[in-house]
Amino acid sequence: MIKPVLPRRQRENSARFCEDFILRQQMRAEYPNDSYEQNDFPCVEKVSAPRAWDSDIKVGDIRVLSQTAETQYVVVLERRDWNYLVVPFSPFSEPATDGELKLNWVGGLYLEVAQVWNARTINFLQLAKSWFVAELPERVMDEIRAVRANYLLGDPLPENLLDRIGAPIFASDDPRI
């Protein structure tokens, strides 16, 4: 099988993702009882008391889901009657595949890469039990929609987004799977 020539930046994005992934796996193996992701970080502002859930949900909201094993941030992409289409954020700072987009937006830890390939529908009642974090600018939402259209439908991807996605997966033994 002949693989297409990919832009250098896409290959570099995926290579940096793999480095981060391997490091995380090594840390989990070395320290199996520690959850370094949940340790206190001095640069992260602490919330003094838990807030009530924010049930006023809007497209573009970044929310923290409740009732998940690990902290999960999502952005609300669409409203569909009583359901919402949400896109999770990756815990990594680089896009792994062509279905992930490094955002051109400063949001903070765990809000750098949107996992467009992992979009899912969530019922209003479940999403209402989440917390509002921030709102993505409309231009960033449009970029996420463009990557989704490219990933699902093969629509052309704007040139300015090609350097902010990872390389496609071609083989079943790809370590990113």
Side-chain angles (χ1 to χ4, degrees):
M1 174 171 117
I2 299 175
K3 295 180 185 176
V5 177
L6 299 171
R8 180 182 54 81
R9 182 73 172 132
Q10 287 180 10
R11 292 191 315 269
E12 290 172 352
N13 289 342
S14 292
R16 280 193 301 277
F17 164 83
C18 288
E19 290 169 2
D20 288 350
F21 180 78
I22 291 167
L23 177 62
R24 183 174 291 205
Q25 295 301 96
Q26 290 171 341
M27 289 181 72
R28 284 186 175 156
E30 183 74 24
Y31 306 101
N33 296 323
D34 283 353
S35 179
Y36 70 93
E37 294 168 3
Q38 296 175 0
N39 289 342
D40 291 336
F41 292 96
C43 60
V44 176
E45 186 177 320
K46 295 182 182 178
V47 176
S48 58
R51 297 183 319 215
W53 289 316
D54 299 316
S55 58
D56 182 26
I57 302 165
K58 296 182 215 61
V59 170
D61 283 359
I62 296 174
R63 307 191 64 93
V64 178
L65 300 180
S66 65
Q67 304 170 356
T68 57
E70 294 183 11
T71 302
Q72 180 66 70
Y73 293 94
V74 298
V75 61
V76 179
L77 193 61
E78 296 175 8
R79 181 175 182 169
R80 299 175 170 178
D81 295 320
W82 287 95
N83 296 311
Y84 291 87
L85 180 66
V86 298
V87 173
F89 285 89
S90 172
F92 297 97
S93 60
E94 295 294 336
T97 73
D98 57 333
E100 294 189 359
L101 174 67
K102 185 168 181 101
L103 302 181
N104 191 10
W105 175 76
V106 179
L109 189 63
Y110 300 129
L111 297 175
E112 297 178 73
V113 175
Q115 291 180 323
V116 180
W117 64 269
N118 200 8
R120 64 193 76 158
T121 302
I122 295 183
N123 183 277
F124 167 79
L125 295 174
Q126 182 182 1
L127 194 56
K129 294 179 180 178
S130 66
W131 295 273
F132 174 81
V133 174
E135 184 178 351
L136 276 182
E138 190 60 33
R139 67 171 174 77
V140 178
M141 294 296 293
D142 288 342
E143 292 173 347
I144 292 171
R145 289 182 190 105
V147 171
R148 185 167 187 268
N150 172 264
Y151 191 75
L152 293 178
L153 307 171
D155 289 1
L157 197 59
E159 197 70 32
N160 66 321
L161 299 182
L162 288 174
D163 288 346
R164 296 181 17 227
I165 62 172
I169 294 174
F170 293 109
S172 61
D173 62 347
D174 192 308
R176 297 172 292 160
I177 297 178

